[in-house]
Amino acid sequence: MISRKSILIAIAATSLVACVPSRQFQELKEKNQAIVAERDSVKSQNEDLTVKTTELEAEVEELNKKLQREADTKTTLKDSANYYRKQYKVFKTMYEDMSQESEATAKANDAETRQLMTELQVTKQELLEKERALEKKQNELDERDETLIALDSSLNMQHRELAEKNRRVQELERILNEKDSSVRALKNKISQALLGFADKGLTVEQRNGKVYVTMDEKLLFKSGKWDVDPKGVTAIKQISEVLAANKDVNIVIEGHTDDVPMKGAGDIKDNWDLSVKRATSIVKIMEGEGGIDPRRISASGRASNAPIDNAKTPEARAKNRRTEIILTPKLDEIFKILETN
């Protein structure tokens, strides 16, 4: 803004142009130009100040707003502080009350806790003892299981052995039944073959799984002799024919005498000699004329040591003077089974 003083100077200068010399006019003109330049500078400064003033006013307004916000915040904080102070007092009071109560409760709880700990310790000890007892029982059960397993294994083995024995027994029974059947068949064959001698002092019996052909002394020998009579030879040959067809039969010839001591001379000294001689005489006929393999035959003398009748009568002694042909089925199969038992 142009000052009043500057305007007055300009007017005065104009009025004096006509009356002032050129030199003065030039000075005034220069001054006027300087004043105009100063005016423009001031004007520019004034505009800058106006802008700065506007900016400052905006800053002041913003600061006022900020200050107001701060004041509001301060008030809020103050209110909050007062609230928290009150809350603090409340909580402090509550804490003190709770502390006192907790201390009393802690003392009471401490006694309860000790009691509980004591009870827990007792319970723990009892549990440990029960656990040891259970462990002992488990060990006993394990030992029993092992014993039962061993026993079961032993029983299984015994069952297998028993089953095998049963199988062998059944096999033996089967073979024995077959042998019994064979013995019955053999007895029937011999009985048929010797049918003509049934009333001449010859009997055929089946006893203990064997066939006994018993011939009286009168059928085979003269008193005190061991040479076989012709009718006896015929009987032995007929027996030999049957036995030759049945090779699975062992043959035993036994000579028997009565209890009267023999007073012989030469080769026959007593009843033992006589019984053996008679047995071997029959063996020779079976082997020679009967064609029986000698390995199937055996001879023995029993003298008077296996009597049929122990009486001391002539009839009893006549029965005891006899020769027995004992026929036994070969038991090789049975022996094999028994050997594996």
Side-chain angles (χ1 to χ4, degrees), residues 26 88 110 126 157 159 177 183-184 194-195 201 206 219 229 248 268 286 323 332:
Q26 186 62 35
Y88 172 73
D110 187 49
E126 291 176 352
M157 183 178 295
H159 285 319
N177 290 333
V183 169
R184 285 193 297 271
L194 299 174
L195 190 60
Q206 181 179 344
L219 178 62
D229 288 345
D248 292 332
I268 302 299
M286 284 186 170
T323 300
D332 296 344

Side-chain angles (χ1 to χ4, degrees), residues 214 216 256 304 306-311 316 318-322 324:
T214 302
D216 293 345
H256 299 267
S304 61
I308 295 176
D309 192 341
N310 290 319
K319 291 179 184 179
N320 293 333
R321 295 191 299 271
R322 71 198 187 278
E324 291 183 339

Side-chain angles (χ1 to χ4, degrees), residues 187-214:
K187 173 185 174 292
N188 293 332
K189 290 178 181 179
I190 292 176
S191 296
Q192 289 295 324
L194 299 174
L195 190 60
F197 297 90
D199 57 348
K200 297 178 181 179
L202 185 148
T203 59
V204 180
E205 296 179 314
Q206 181 179 344
R207 300 195 310 267
N208 302 323
K210 302 176 183 180
V211 175
Y212 288 79
V213 180
T214 302

Side-chain angles (χ1 to χ4, degrees), residues 179-321:
K179 297 303 181 184
D180 287 340
S181 298
S182 299
V183 169
R184 285 193 297 271
L186 178 63
K187 173 185 174 292
N188 293 332
K189 290 178 181 179
I190 292 176
S191 296
Q192 289 295 324
L194 299 174
L195 190 60
F197 297 90
D199 57 348
K200 297 178 181 179
L202 185 148
T203 59
V204 180
E205 296 179 314
Q206 181 179 344
R207 300 195 310 267
N208 302 323
K210 302 176 183 180
V211 175
Y212 288 79
V213 180
T214 302
M215 294 176 285
D216 293 345
E217 179 187 49
K218 63 182 181 179
L219 178 62
L220 299 175
F221 308 105
K222 292 181 174 60
S223 179
K225 302 296 182 182
W226 62 88
D227 295 328
V228 181
D229 288 345
K231 57 183 178 180
V233 173
T234 301
I236 294 170
K237 286 182 179 179
Q238 291 179 359
I239 295 174
S240 298
E241 288 179 4
V242 176
L243 296 177
N246 292 271
K247 300 183 182 300
D248 292 332
V249 177
N250 290 322
I251 306 165
V252 176
I253 312 298
E254 286 186 354
H256 299 267
T257 67
D258 58 22
D259 58 349
V260 177
M262 183 165 182
K263 297 178 181 178
D267 295 333
I268 302 299
K269 295 181 180 179
D270 53 26
N271 288 341
W272 279 107
D273 286 345
L274 181 60
S275 63
V276 172
K277 283 284 188 180
R278 286 180 172 180
T280 56
S281 295
I282 294 174
V283 169
K284 290 176 181 179
I285 295 172
M286 284 186 170
E287 179 185 357
E289 299 181 42
I292 303 297
D293 187 346
R295 290 174 295 184
R296 295 172 55 192
I297 309 173
S298 61
S300 66
R302 302 294 301 276
S304 61
N305 298 298
I308 295 176
D309 192 341
N310 290 319
K312 302 301 181 181
T313 63
E315 292 79 12
R317 288 189 172 104
K319 291 179 184 179
N320 293 333
R321 295 191 299 271

Side-chain angles (χ1 to χ4, degrees), residues 36-50:
V36 171
E38 183 179 357
R39 184 200 60 185
D40 293 337
S41 176
V42 170
K43 185 178 179 180
S44 176
Q45 291 177 4
N46 187 36
E47 291 176 353
D48 292 337
L49 289 172
T50 300

Side-chain angles (χ1 to χ4, degrees), residues 72-90:
D72 294 339
T73 302
K74 181 178 179 182
T75 301
T76 301
L77 291 174
K78 186 177 179 181
D79 293 339
S80 297
N82 291 331
Y83 172 77
Y84 287 125
R85 286 192 191 97
K86 292 178 181 179
Q87 291 291 99
Y88 172 73
K89 290 180 180 180
V90 173

